[in-house]
């Protein structure tokens, strides 16, 4: 049984990473396309982020965590999780640069790993926890 649980957890982690990479690529493409089409950078990027957020939430809920969670419960928690992860990324970047004098490349790698790990943990134990199925 323990082996089966480890396999399930590994599959879930791979799915989480695939969705995250897909959402990041979607954000990149949409922000480029919208700004290239003439929208102001702030507006184009904000719209792109909102669309990528909706796609990421839908894919995480439906594919990674198998769609067993009520939107009224999971969506607000997912939003809070992403806000917490954004703040954590900012803090991690500050520490990496100001304390450890990390280069922008190293800082970017650190915040990507840190925010992704925090997002996965919070999504697994709070947003899409196994014992809180659909209402």
């Amino acid at each position: 049984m323990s082996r089966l649980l480890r396999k399930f957890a590994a599959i879930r982690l791979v799915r989480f990473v695939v969705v995250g990479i897909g959402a990041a690529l979607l954000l990149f493409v949409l922000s480029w396309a919208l700004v290239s089409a003439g929208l102001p950078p702030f507006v184009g990027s904000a719209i792109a982020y909102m669309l990528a957020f909706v796609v990421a939430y839908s894919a995480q809920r439906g594919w990674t965590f198998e769609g067993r969670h009520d939107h009224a419960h999971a969506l607000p928690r997912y939003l809070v999780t992403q806000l917490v992860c954004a703040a954590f990324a900012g803090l991690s970047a500050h520490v990496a640069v100001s304390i450890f004098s990390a280069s922008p490349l190293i800082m970017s790698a650190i915040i990507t790993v840190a925010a992704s790990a925090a997002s996965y943990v919070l999504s697994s134990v709070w947003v899409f926890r196994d014992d809180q199925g659909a209402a």
Side-chain angles (χ1 to χ4, degrees):
M1 186 67 165
S2 174
R3 186 177 203 171
L4 182 63
L5 289 175
R6 281 194 309 267
K7 182 178 179 182
F8 179 72
I11 290 169
R12 181 180 279 176
L13 178 60
V14 168
R15 288 180 178 184
F16 186 87
V17 169
V18 167
V19 170
I21 290 170
L25 289 172
L26 180 62
L27 173 62
F28 179 86
V29 169
L30 286 175
S31 62
W32 171 82
L34 292 170
V35 172
S36 295
L39 286 176
F42 180 85
V43 174
S45 297
I47 291 170
Y49 190 89
M50 286 186 282
L51 292 171
F53 174 90
V54 169
V55 169
Y57 166 76
S58 298
Q60 294 296 17
R61 180 185 172 271
W63 187 49
T64 305
F65 295 97
E66 300 175 348
R68 297 171 291 160
H69 305 86
D70 182 40
H71 287 296
H73 187 77
L75 182 57
R77 287 181 176 211
Y78 188 78
L79 176 60
V80 169
T81 294
Q82 295 312 307
L83 293 172
V84 166
C85 289
F88 184 57
L91 178 63
S92 298
H94 176 74
V95 168
V97 172
S98 65
I99 295 176
F100 297 107
S101 301
S103 70
L105 179 65
I106 298 299
M107 178 213 66
S108 296
I110 289 169
I111 67 168
T112 298
V113 170
S116 297
S119 180
Y120 181 74
V121 169
L122 288 171
S123 291
S124 296
V125 302
W126 187 53
V127 178
F128 302 112
R129 197 173 65 221
D130 284 337
D131 65 345
Q132 60 186 32

